[in-house]
Amino acid sequence: MDISTIAGLISGIVFIVVSIMMNGRLGLFFDAPSVMITIGGTFASVLISYPLNKFFNSLKSARLIFQTKEFNTGNVIQRIIDLANIARKEGLLALEEAAQSMEDKFLQKGILLIVDGTDPELVRNILETELAFIEGRHKEVQGFWETVASLGPAWGMIGTLIGLINMLDQLNDPSAIGPAMAVALVTTFYGSIVANFFANPVANKLKIRSSEEVLLKEVMIEGLLSIQAGENPRIIEEKLKAFLSPTLRDTVKENNEGETKAGE
Amino acid sequence: MDISTIAGLISGIVFIVVSIMMNGRLGLFFDAPSVMITIGGTFASVLISYPLNKFFNSLKSARLIFQTKEFNTGNVIQRIIDLANIARKEGLLALEEAAQSMEDKFLQKGILLIVDGTDPELVRNILETELAFIEGRHKEVQGFWETVASLGPAWGMIGTLIGLINMLDQLNDPSAIGPAMAVALVTTFYGSIVANFFANPVANKLKIRSSEEVLLKEVMIEGLLSIQAGENPRIIEEKLKAFLSPTLRDTVKENNEGETKAGE
Amino acid sequence: MDISTIAGLISGIVFIVVSIMMNGRLGLFFDAPSVMITIGGTFASVLISYPLNKFFNSLKSARLIFQTKEFNTGNVIQRIIDLANIARKEGLLALEEAAQSMEDKFLQKGILLIVDGTDPELVRNILETELAFIEGRHKEVQGFWETVASLGPAWGMIGTLIGLINMLDQLNDPSAIGPAMAVALVTTFYGSIVANFFANPVANKLKIRSSEEVLLKEVMIEGLLSIQAGENPRIIEEKLKAFLSPTLRDTVKENNEGETKAGE
Amino acid sequence: MDISTIAGLISGIVFIVVSIMMNGRLGLFFDAPSVMITIGGTFASVLISYPLNKFFNSLKSARLIFQTKEFNTGNVIQRIIDLANIARKEGLLALEEAAQSMEDKFLQKGILLIVDGTDPELVRNILETELAFIEGRHKEVQGFWETVASLGPAWGMIGTLIGLINMLDQLNDPSAIGPAMAVALVTTFYGSIVANFFANPVANKLKIRSSEEVLLKEVMIEGLLSIQAGENPRIIEEKLKAFLSPTLRDTVKENNEGETKAGE
Amino acid sequence: MDISTIAGLISGIVFIVVSIMMNGRLGLFFDAPSVMITIGGTFASVLISYPLNKFFNSLKSARLIFQTKEFNTGNVIQRIIDLANIARKEGLLALEEAAQSMEDKFLQKGILLIVDGTDPELVRNILETELAFIEGRHKEVQGFWETVASLGPAWGMIGTLIGLINMLDQLNDPSAIGPAMAVALVTTFYGSIVANFFANPVANKLKIRSSEEVLLKEVMIEGLLSIQAGENPRIIEEKLKAFLSPTLRDTVKENNEGETKAGE
């Protein structure tokens, strides 16, 4: 459960609602036709922009902002050092068993390639191609939400223009001008909320999640190739810890002290 | 037939029309002079921006957003593994026959280069240059629609300025102000529709179609070079599947189980 | 003569004039002080932005949008295949005579370098450096017009601010407000025209012309190095045609059928 | 203590306060609900955009704009030349003692790697990976403040829209329009202050601090590898001084005159 | 003396002043509090953005837009060919004397490195690192003025918001509205002038000056390495002239005809 997403969504909604109710009435800001033209128009444009399967995949991706990743880089480094120790003591083939119980498909695939005796250059090639495509698919989903974030305010403005043009055309009753303009502006309000309270923050959190996953997989690739090259586990640890921030680095060090010494 | 394009266009038009008709009259939003200055002006600027042949080619490209690609990456990988099996069993020359019945010109050209015994480095060079230029031409067409998307609102604003200046100059009749401003704003409305409901979504869908085609051709190049190098079809499959998303990957695996085993 | 430039300029002017005259008077849109502050101010800022020689060179470059290039890629490929055939039959030195009658300075220089027996690496180095600088100079000129396109609307707004501030300061006569605001908005109108009907389209057409010329010269470099390496004219043709779009490719093929066969 | 940050913050606040008090009353610009919607909304969106740990780390980073770096490039170059002299006179192992008293963790780690006899390629690899991740973490923090800078004005506009819509809906009392609009605009004012007086300048100063630290560490990497390669201290000095601006370069020269001569 | 800078500044000021005086009074546009909030606020934010030394260095850099560079690429190429001839006739050591009288520090340093018999790879490394840092420092200064250009209009808008909010709060006297709004808009006017008439053009001219200097130094590096490699002066000339535009190229050719022939 991603606490910051929940906290941000709830506090943002509270701020908006309280802010509206201090000087006005909430009902004014719920307007079905305004929802239709802003949200409906935005998704009509997004539908033209994306094929149906990418459209639904990207929509579904929004739920990822509520999830936290199970794995962290420190654990992965620890796991790789364990594997390196196994490989040094019992040989590369002993890794096959360890791979069976592995929940991470990427790491598992890498180990199986090593166990198969695949050429190191080809192992790197296969894993890096796969990582590049994972990153590409992540970028596509982020791009989807950035498209939503740019189309939302645009359709908000289209809604406001429709409201304004209708109002200006019927300018005979001065007392109706205010409320009509108020309604016309509601779509601009919606468009701005869609972009700044939803689509852009979603794109941003997905981007950070993606960079964390890519970093993790880069650590895996470096580690796997070092294991295949038969490098000393202590050197592997030193190499992989360069991927960590200094604070995280110390936690790994403490856990490993015993094992890596034994594995030398 | 691309369903998302059709669904997006129809739903968007419905949303706009319903939104207008709830508080106003549709006729107000059809204004021939406004069409002329916004659409006409936009295309006048686009004509100055592009040579005539690129102008018409790019305009024609808009129809691509209604089409779905026939080929998918899974099929192409399957096809390449079949070719690899033929090459291993019957030699590279046996591919010439297979190339005859191939509908994809790029793959066909690659096979013929291999059959001719062209140097692998030159094969890669020729195919990658061709791919780079295909991508370049795609980018040019996307750029065309992005230019339209930036000029549309600009000419919408020029139309509104003309309307406003004319109205402000004749400010003697207060009752005429509203309707005159309404008409002046219609061009801004058109410009925003051109950019956000048409040109930008078209550019985006063309970009996605292009990236799918480029990916497909990258798979072809990798596969052709692996065939030429005489690699094991199972390794080729492993390499090419790194280009696929995990969900697509499994479908290929199932289809191949029998054949690739036989081809080893 | 570039037809699209002429057609764009004429149709754009017609659209603007007709659009103005339908509801207003053309004279209102010709205002000498507004021209002075928008166009004058823009060029004052551009003068500070660029040294005098680049300023005049870039201004002069605007006339290029009326010209069409004489050469096309197909012709250049044909020419290079002819040269390759000469080189194969009569030796590299025989190219010197062919170079004399060559109107393209870049191709001529390349041939003379080859005839002189310059090291292939150095030939590529000299020609690519020269191409990089040609591209750099083109980018500089495009940058000039993009600068004009961003300064035009800015000075249009400065003009409108001057008009608005003056008007607001003298708000005693209500009937003068409208016409004064109309005049104030004319500079915004000018700024938008400068950017969207002139400077941006000019920058765009120059960019396309430049990319065509760069492509042409890349073809020349590839071709010249292949000739120097003594490659088979048929292979050279295959390599160079990767630079062409499929439609253009077929026209080259037909013309060459006879000659290249003979040249093998 | 970073004087420019203090001077900028104080002078900016003085300018704003004086500017307000010359024609109005300061109280008008303190409005709790406006603070809530602008600042609260901005941070709600930022919370959705970032995981909790990055959110707090980035917030804390703002205090760095008040600190000045202790180290400067000149000192580091001097320090490295000293180390090079020690290494030449007493051997690489003599550096271990010097490393103990080193306060910079990065330089210390590098020296220990050298003393351990690690392969030069691996030393460069480990240190450059670490530097790349330091730079990555800095970029992330700058990105946080740039996100704040783009969300601030957006939520300022959302606040103003809420105020405008409420006001337009209750347009019965003309005398209330002015003050209501004044309050509505206060959120736009806040949003602009957040972006232009705080978040963007913070992001910019962090960027400059980061580039200085990265430069420093690049100098360290170059220097450490030169020491490991056993290069002449005078050559090392020449190489490292290329990283300095000409004015700083002279100060290093003077300090070194004696020592480097002796160290040759 | 850079004529275009002077001409641009003077003509721009004349255009603004004449434009104001045609319909209003110049005094209205001089408003001390408006200067304070726009210019003062901008520099307060810039002070937070940059450390004090970079702040003053960048401010001082503005005077460079009035200077023209003494050196031109043609001269430098001529100078390098002269040095190549000396080196060929009298040996590399003979360059030391020529270096003494050299006013360009970069060229001088390069020659001294060559004379010292430094390894060519190290010469290139030192000179390219130095060039990269020169370019980096230039970019930083351009970034300073681009920051000013983005903060100017932002603080102009902050000033206008302060004026508007104060005015709207005191909406009792209708006759005061106009003049108050006029004054409020003066800060927007200032902000636009700061960005479009000063900061952006300064950044642009500094960018062009920088690219000229970098080109010059790239020519020097290429030339120095060719001299060190003992290349034929005619080949050096051919290589370096690829850096020149065709028009400049001919002028070098004429000057050299005699000397280079003699130097072969």
Side-chain angles (χ1 to χ4, degrees):
Chain A
M1 212 49 175
D2 187 319
I3 304 168
S4 70
T5 301
I6 309 285
L9 280 176
I10 291 177
S11 65
I13 291 170
V14 168
F15 289 145
I16 295 172
V17 169
V18 170
S19 181
I20 289 173
M21 288 175 64
M22 285 182 81
N23 287 297
R25 53 196 177 83
L26 205 55
L28 186 65
F29 288 79
F30 286 105
D31 185 48
S34 299
V35 172
M36 187 190 71
I37 189 71
T38 313
I39 311 295
T42 300
F43 280 96
S45 285
V46 172
L47 266 171
I48 306 177
S49 306
Y50 287 91
L52 219 54
N53 60 337
K54 287 184 200 286
F55 177 80
F56 287 117
N57 275 341
S58 299
L59 272 190
K60 263 185 282 178
S61 72
R63 72 184 149 66
L64 292 175
I65 64 166
F66 294 103
Q67 296 170 7
T68 41
K69 48 162 195 161
E70 319 108 67
F71 258 140
N72 70 50
T73 326
N75 287 27
V76 166
I77 291 177
Q78 186 54 59
R79 172 73 55 100
I80 285 167
I81 295 165
D82 294 349
L83 291 170
N85 281 318
I86 295 174
R88 262 174 105 82
K89 286 183 206 140
E90 311 169 32
L92 283 173
L93 292 180
L95 295 175
E96 186 152 32
E97 200 186 349
Q100 304 304 337
S101 60
M102 203 138 281
E103 63 276 38
D104 187 277
K105 292 287 170 204
F106 188 83
L107 192 53
Q108 191 181 44
K109 181 178 183 177
I111 296 171
L112 291 177
L113 283 169
I114 290 177
V115 171
D116 281 7
T118 318
D119 180 70
E121 208 42 57
L122 188 56
V123 173
R124 176 183 287 279
N125 192 293
I126 289 178
L127 295 179
E128 284 186 348
T129 305
E130 183 150 348
L131 181 51
F133 280 95
I134 290 173
E135 214 176 341
R137 284 192 296 275
H138 288 179
K139 284 241 171 73
E140 212 168 69
V141 171
Q142 293 156 33
F144 176 88
W145 289 106
E146 282 162 9
T147 303
V148 171
S150 84
L151 286 170
W155 279 92
M157 200 190 83
I158 289 175
T160 298
L161 281 170
I162 292 176
L164 273 183
I165 292 172
N166 277 334
M167 182 205 78
L168 288 165
D169 185 49
Q170 304 156 11
L171 213 63
N172 8 12
D173 176 12
S175 75
I177 296 175
M181 264 197 72
V183 171
L185 283 175
V186 167
T187 57
T188 296
F189 171 75
Y190 285 172
S192 197
I193 293 285
V194 164
N196 297 298
F197 185 46
F198 195 68
N200 268 329
V202 167
N204 203 69
K205 187 155 272 175
L206 292 176
K207 197 169 91 189
I208 284 174
R209 290 264 180 277
S210 169
S211 71
E212 285 172 346
E213 193 182 329
V214 167
L215 172 60
L216 212 68
K217 291 197 164 34
E218 280 173 352
V219 168
M220 288 176 188
I221 295 176
E222 273 326 302
L224 286 167
L225 290 167
S226 296
I227 291 174
Q228 191 174 27
E231 286 177 15
N232 186 319
R234 206 173 62 87
I235 296 286
I236 296 178
E237 189 188 337
E238 205 60 55
K239 267 169 80 174
L240 298 188
K241 272 175 22 195
F243 287 80
L244 284 179
S245 67
T247 41
L248 289 173
R249 212 171 289 162
D250 295 336
T251 61
V252 179
K253 198 178 269 161
E254 286 159 26
N255 298 342
N256 275 342
E257 220 78 299
E259 293 178 59
T260 56
K261 285 257 162 74
E264 272 171 47
Chain B
M1 211 50 175
D2 187 320
I3 304 168
S4 70
T5 301
I6 309 285
L9 280 175
I10 291 178
S11 65
I13 292 171
V14 168
F15 289 145
I16 295 171
V17 169
V18 170
S19 182
I20 289 173
M21 288 175 62
M22 285 182 82
N23 286 298
R25 53 196 176 83
L26 205 55
L28 187 64
F29 289 79
F30 286 106
D31 185 49
S34 299
V35 172
M36 186 190 72
I37 189 70
T38 314
I39 311 294
T42 299
F43 280 96
S45 285
V46 172
L47 267 170
I48 306 177
S49 305
Y50 287 91
L52 219 53
N53 60 337
K54 287 184 201 287
F55 177 81
F56 287 118
N57 275 341
S58 300
L59 272 189
K60 263 185 282 177
S61 72
R63 72 185 149 66
L64 292 175
I65 64 166
F66 294 103
Q67 297 170 6
T68 41
K69 50 162 193 164
E70 319 108 67
F71 258 139
N72 70 51
T73 326
N75 287 25
V76 166
I77 292 178
Q78 187 53 60
R79 173 74 55 100
I80 284 166
I81 295 165
D82 293 349
L83 291 170
N85 280 318
I86 295 174
R88 260 174 106 82
K89 286 185 207 139
E90 310 169 32
L92 283 173
L93 291 180
L95 296 174
E96 185 151 31
E97 199 186 350
Q100 304 304 337
S101 61
M102 205 138 278
E103 63 276 39
D104 187 277
K105 292 288 171 203
F106 189 83
L107 192 53
Q108 190 180 44
K109 181 178 184 177
I111 295 170
L112 292 177
L113 283 168
I114 291 177
V115 171
D116 281 8
T118 317
D119 180 70
E121 208 41 58
L122 187 56
V123 173
R124 176 183 287 279
N125 192 292
I126 289 178
L127 294 179
E128 284 186 347
T129 305
E130 183 151 349
L131 181 52
F133 281 96
I134 290 173
E135 214 177 341
R137 282 191 297 273
H138 289 178
K139 285 241 171 73
E140 211 168 69
V141 171
Q142 293 156 35
F144 176 87
W145 289 105
E146 282 162 10
T147 303
V148 171
S150 84
L151 287 169
W155 279 91
M157 201 190 84
I158 289 175
T160 297
L161 282 170
I162 292 176
L164 272 182
I165 293 172
N166 277 334
M167 183 206 77
L168 287 165
D169 186 49
Q170 304 156 12
L171 213 62
N172 8 13
D173 176 10
S175 74
I177 295 176
M181 263 197 74
V183 171
L185 283 175
V186 168
T187 57
T188 297
F189 171 74
Y190 285 172
S192 197
I193 294 283
V194 164
N196 297 299
F197 185 46
F198 195 67
N200 267 330
V202 166
N204 203 68
K205 187 155 272 173
L206 291 175
K207 196 169 92 189
I208 285 175
R209 290 263 181 278
S210 169
S211 72
E212 284 172 347
E213 193 182 328
V214 167
L215 172 60
L216 213 67
K217 290 197 164 32
E218 280 173 351
V219 168
M220 287 176 189
I221 295 176
E222 273 326 303
L224 286 167
L225 290 168
S226 296
I227 291 174
Q228 192 175 25
E231 286 177 15
N232 186 319
R234 206 172 62 87
I235 296 287
I236 296 178
E237 189 187 337
E238 206 60 56
K239 266 169 82 173
L240 298 188
K241 271 173 27 193
F243 288 80
L244 284 179
S245 67
T247 40
L248 288 174
R249 213 171 286 163
D250 295 336
T251 61
V252 179
K253 198 178 268 160
E254 286 159 27
N255 298 342
N256 275 342
E257 220 78 299
E259 292 178 60
T260 56
K261 286 258 161 74
E264 271 170 48
Chain C
M1 210 50 174
D2 187 319
I3 304 168
S4 70
T5 302
I6 309 284
L9 280 175
I10 292 177
S11 65
I13 291 170
V14 168
F15 289 146
I16 295 171
V17 169
V18 171
S19 181
I20 289 173
M21 288 176 63
M22 285 182 81
N23 286 297
R25 53 193 177 84
L26 205 57
L28 187 64
F29 289 79
F30 286 106
D31 185 49
S34 299
V35 171
M36 186 190 71
I37 189 70
T38 314
I39 311 295
T42 299
F43 280 96
S45 285
V46 173
L47 267 170
I48 307 176
S49 306
Y50 287 90
L52 219 54
N53 60 337
K54 286 185 201 287
F55 177 80
F56 286 118
N57 274 341
S58 299
L59 272 189
K60 263 186 283 177
S61 73
R63 73 184 148 66
L64 292 175
I65 64 166
F66 294 104
Q67 296 170 8
T68 41
K69 50 164 191 160
E70 319 108 66
F71 259 138
N72 70 51
T73 326
N75 287 25
V76 165
I77 292 177
Q78 187 52 62
R79 172 73 55 100
I80 285 166
I81 295 166
D82 293 349
L83 292 169
N85 280 320
I86 294 173
R88 259 174 107 82
K89 285 184 206 140
E90 310 169 32
L92 283 172
L93 291 180
L95 295 175
E96 185 152 31
E97 199 186 349
Q100 304 304 339
S101 61
M102 206 139 278
E103 63 275 38
D104 187 277
K105 292 286 170 204
F106 189 84
L107 191 54
Q108 190 181 44
K109 181 177 184 179
I111 295 171
L112 291 176
L113 283 168
I114 290 176
V115 171
D116 281 7
T118 317
D119 181 70
E121 210 40 60
L122 187 58
V123 173
R124 176 183 287 279
N125 193 292
I126 289 178
L127 294 179
E128 285 186 347
T129 305
E130 183 150 349
L131 182 51
F133 280 95
I134 290 172
E135 215 176 341
R137 283 191 296 272
H138 288 178
K139 284 241 171 72
E140 212 169 68
V141 170
Q142 293 157 35
F144 176 88
W145 288 106
E146 282 161 10
T147 303
V148 171
S150 84
L151 287 170
W155 279 91
M157 201 191 82
I158 290 175
T160 298
L161 281 170
I162 292 176
L164 273 182
I165 292 171
N166 278 334
M167 182 206 78
L168 287 164
D169 185 50
Q170 304 156 12
L171 213 63
N172 10 11
D173 176 11
S175 74
I177 296 175
M181 264 197 73
V183 171
L185 282 175
V186 167
T187 57
T188 296
F189 172 75
Y190 286 172
S192 197
I193 293 285
V194 163
N196 297 297
F197 185 47
F198 196 67
N200 268 329
V202 166
N204 204 68
K205 187 154 271 174
L206 291 176
K207 196 169 91 190
I208 285 175
R209 290 264 181 277
S210 169
S211 71
E212 285 173 345
E213 192 181 330
V214 167
L215 172 60
L216 213 67
K217 289 195 165 33
E218 280 174 352
V219 167
M220 287 176 188
I221 295 176
E222 274 326 303
L224 286 167
L225 289 167
S226 296
I227 291 175
Q228 193 176 24
E231 285 177 17
N232 186 318
R234 205 171 63 88
I235 296 286
I236 296 178
E237 188 188 337
E238 207 59 55
K239 267 170 79 173
L240 298 188
K241 272 175 22 194
F243 288 81
L244 283 180
S245 67
T247 40
L248 289 174
R249 213 171 286 162
D250 295 336
T251 61
V252 179
K253 198 178 270 162
E254 285 159 26
N255 299 343
N256 275 341
E257 220 79 298
E259 294 178 58
T260 56
K261 286 257 163 74
E264 272 170 48
Chain D
M1 211 51 175
D2 187 318
I3 304 168
S4 69
T5 300
I6 309 285
L9 280 175
I10 292 177
S11 64
I13 291 170
V14 168
F15 288 146
I16 295 171
V17 169
V18 170
S19 181
I20 289 173
M21 288 176 64
M22 286 182 80
N23 286 298
R25 54 197 176 82
L26 205 55
L28 187 64
F29 288 80
F30 286 105
D31 185 49
S34 299
V35 171
M36 186 191 71
I37 190 71
T38 313
I39 311 295
T42 298
F43 279 96
S45 286
V46 172
L47 266 171
I48 306 176
S49 306
Y50 287 90
L52 218 55
N53 60 336
K54 287 185 200 287
F55 177 81
F56 286 119
N57 275 340
S58 300
L59 272 190
K60 263 184 283 177
S61 72
R63 72 184 150 67
L64 292 175
I65 65 166
F66 294 104
Q67 296 169 9
T68 41
K69 49 164 194 160
E70 320 109 66
F71 258 141
N72 70 50
T73 326
N75 287 26
V76 166
I77 292 177
Q78 186 53 60
R79 172 73 55 102
I80 285 166
I81 295 165
D82 293 350
L83 292 169
N85 280 320
I86 294 173
R88 261 174 105 82
K89 285 184 205 138
E90 311 169 31
L92 283 173
L93 291 179
L95 295 176
E96 186 152 30
E97 199 187 349
Q100 304 303 339
S101 61
M102 204 138 280
E103 63 274 39
D104 187 277
K105 292 287 170 204
F106 188 84
L107 192 53
Q108 190 181 43
K109 181 180 184 177
I111 295 170
L112 291 176
L113 283 170
I114 290 177
V115 171
D116 280 7
T118 318
D119 180 70
E121 208 41 57
L122 187 57
V123 173
R124 176 183 287 278
N125 193 294
I126 289 178
L127 295 179
E128 284 186 349
T129 305
E130 184 151 348
L131 181 52
F133 280 95
I134 290 173
E135 214 176 342
R137 283 191 297 273
H138 289 178
K139 284 240 171 72
E140 212 168 68
V141 171
Q142 292 156 34
F144 176 87
W145 289 105
E146 283 161 10
T147 303
V148 171
S150 85
L151 286 170
W155 279 92
M157 200 190 83
I158 289 175
T160 297
L161 281 170
I162 292 176
L164 272 182
I165 292 171
N166 277 335
M167 181 206 80
L168 287 164
D169 187 49
Q170 304 157 11
L171 212 62
N172 8 12
D173 176 12
S175 74
I177 295 175
M181 265 197 71
V183 172
L185 284 175
V186 167
T187 57
T188 296
F189 171 74
Y190 285 173
S192 197
I193 293 284
V194 164
N196 298 298
F197 185 47
F198 195 67
N200 268 329
V202 167
N204 203 68
K205 187 155 272 175
L206 291 176
K207 197 170 93 189
I208 285 174
R209 289 264 180 278
S210 169
S211 71
E212 285 173 345
E213 192 183 330
V214 167
L215 173 60
L216 213 67
K217 290 195 164 34
E218 280 173 351
V219 167
M220 287 176 189
I221 295 176
E222 273 326 302
L224 286 166
L225 289 168
S226 296
I227 291 174
Q228 192 175 26
E231 285 176 17
N232 186 319
R234 204 173 62 89
I235 295 287
I236 297 178
E237 188 188 337
E238 205 60 55
K239 267 169 81 173
L240 298 187
K241 272 175 20 195
F243 288 80
L244 285 178
S245 66
T247 40
L248 289 173
R249 211 171 287 162
D250 295 336
T251 61
V252 179
K253 198 178 270 162
E254 285 160 26
N255 298 342
N256 275 342
E257 219 78 298
E259 293 178 58
T260 57
K261 285 258 162 75
E264 270 169 48
Chain E
M1 210 51 173
D2 187 319
I3 304 168
S4 70
T5 301
I6 309 285
L9 280 175
I10 292 177
S11 64
I13 291 170
V14 168
F15 289 145
I16 295 171
V17 170
V18 170
S19 181
I20 289 173
M21 288 177 62
M22 285 182 80
N23 287 298
R25 54 195 177 83
L26 206 55
L28 187 64
F29 289 79
F30 286 105
D31 185 49
S34 299
V35 171
M36 186 190 71
I37 189 70
T38 314
I39 310 296
T42 299
F43 280 96
S45 285
V46 172
L47 266 171
I48 306 176
S49 305
Y50 287 90
L52 218 55
N53 60 337
K54 286 185 201 287
F55 177 81
F56 286 118
N57 275 340
S58 299
L59 272 189
K60 263 185 283 177
S61 72
R63 72 183 150 67
L64 292 175
I65 64 165
F66 294 105
Q67 296 170 7
T68 41
K69 48 161 195 163
E70 318 107 68
F71 258 140
N72 71 51
T73 326
N75 286 26
V76 166
I77 292 178
Q78 187 52 59
R79 172 73 56 101
I80 285 166
I81 295 166
D82 293 349
L83 291 168
N85 280 319
I86 294 173
R88 262 175 105 83
K89 285 186 207 138
E90 311 170 32
L92 282 173
L93 292 180
L95 294 175
E96 186 152 30
E97 198 186 351
Q100 305 304 340
S101 61
M102 205 139 280
E103 63 274 39
D104 186 277
K105 292 286 171 204
F106 189 83
L107 192 54
Q108 190 181 44
K109 181 178 184 178
I111 295 171
L112 291 177
L113 283 169
I114 291 177
V115 171
D116 281 6
T118 318
D119 180 70
E121 209 41 57
L122 187 58
V123 173
R124 176 183 287 277
N125 193 294
I126 290 178
L127 294 180
E128 284 186 349
T129 305
E130 182 150 349
L131 181 51
F133 280 95
I134 290 173
E135 215 176 341
R137 283 191 296 273
H138 289 178
K139 285 241 171 73
E140 213 168 67
V141 171
Q142 293 155 35
F144 176 86
W145 289 105
E146 282 162 10
T147 304
V148 171
S150 84
L151 287 169
W155 279 92
M157 200 190 82
I158 289 175
T160 297
L161 282 169
I162 292 176
L164 272 183
I165 292 172
N166 278 334
M167 181 206 78
L168 286 165
D169 186 50
Q170 304 156 10
L171 212 63
N172 9 12
D173 175 12
S175 74
I177 296 175
M181 265 197 72
V183 171
L185 283 175
V186 167
T187 57
T188 296
F189 171 75
Y190 285 173
S192 197
I193 293 285
V194 163
N196 297 297
F197 186 47
F198 195 67
N200 268 329
V202 166
N204 203 68
K205 187 154 275 175
L206 292 176
K207 197 169 91 189
I208 285 175
R209 290 265 180 278
S210 169
S211 72
E212 285 173 345
E213 193 182 330
V214 166
L215 172 60
L216 212 67
K217 289 194 164 35
E218 279 173 352
V219 168
M220 287 176 188
I221 295 176
E222 273 326 303
L224 286 166
L225 290 167
S226 296
I227 291 175
Q228 193 175 24
E231 284 177 16
N232 185 318
R234 205 172 62 89
I235 296 287
I236 297 178
E237 188 187 338
E238 206 59 55
K239 267 170 80 173
L240 299 187
K241 272 176 21 195
F243 288 80
L244 284 179
S245 67
T247 40
L248 289 173
R249 212 171 286 162
D250 295 336
T251 60
V252 179
K253 199 178 269 161
E254 285 159 27
N255 299 342
N256 274 342
E257 220 78 297
E259 294 178 57
T260 56
K261 285 256 163 78
E264 271 171 48

